[in-house]
Amino acid sequence: MGRVGIAIATGAMLIGVLGGCGGGAATAPGSSPAGASAAPGRAPAPAPPTVHTISVKVRGGKASGDTGRVTVPLGTPVVISVSSDVADEIHVHGYDRMVKVPTGSTGSVAFTANKPGTFDVELENAKLALLQLQVG
Ligand SMILES: [Cu+2]
């Protein structure tokens, strides 16, 4: 009576142990190091997006440089630098970015162009249109 009880209990434990580790986990760890080292060469990693720098100079109320329409692909990191002879603010419409430009200095707005469309970039107080950023 006693022995039979122990045997059944032992069998149940073995089944439990085998069921716990037999789920196919044994094959995965051995193959992964080789696969990991091969991956970078096999899949050409997408090049990190290069920052698109837009530079505008404002003197005597007139903008020069990268004015007009500037087109960038969706997802491009963009830096808009504006140098101005008077203190003002750069306003990137649509992205709602405002950055101050001190007198005779340069202000920079950095953001990712992740919203498609055409957006005005303005020197806010002078109400001077600097450029239109076209994304997409
Ligand atoms: Cu504005």
Side-chain angles (χ1 to χ4, degrees):
M1 282 281 241
R3 281 186 190 172
V4 172
I6 288 165
I8 290 168
T10 306
M13 282 165 71
L14 280 171
I15 289 163
V17 169
L18 288 171
C21 354
T27 55
S31 60
S32 72
S37 65
R42 202 170 47 213
T50 43
V51 176
H52 191 115
T53 304
I54 297 165
S55 298
V56 177
K57 189 162 127 180
V58 177
R59 295 291 182 272
K62 287 192 162 184
S64 61
D66 298 324
T67 56
R69 184 164 292 200
V70 178
T71 304
V72 300
L74 189 66
T76 304
V78 173
V79 176
I80 299 175
S81 290
V82 178
S83 84
S84 175
D85 54 354
V86 292
D88 209 315
E89 280 181 289
I90 308 162
H91 183 200
V92 183
H93 289 217
Y95 287 84
D96 288 328
R97 298 301 186 104
M98 293 276 272
V99 170
K100 285 190 190 335
V101 186
T103 302
S105 188
T106 302
S108 290
V109 192
F111 60 96
T112 300
N114 54 10
K115 206 189 289 185
T118 304
F119 306 97
D120 290 322
V121 180
E122 184 183 52
L123 206 57
E124 190 66 16
N125 298 329
K127 303 218 179 303
L128 177 65
L130 301 177
L131 60 114
Q132 281 196 313
L133 183 67
Q134 187 175 336
V135 181

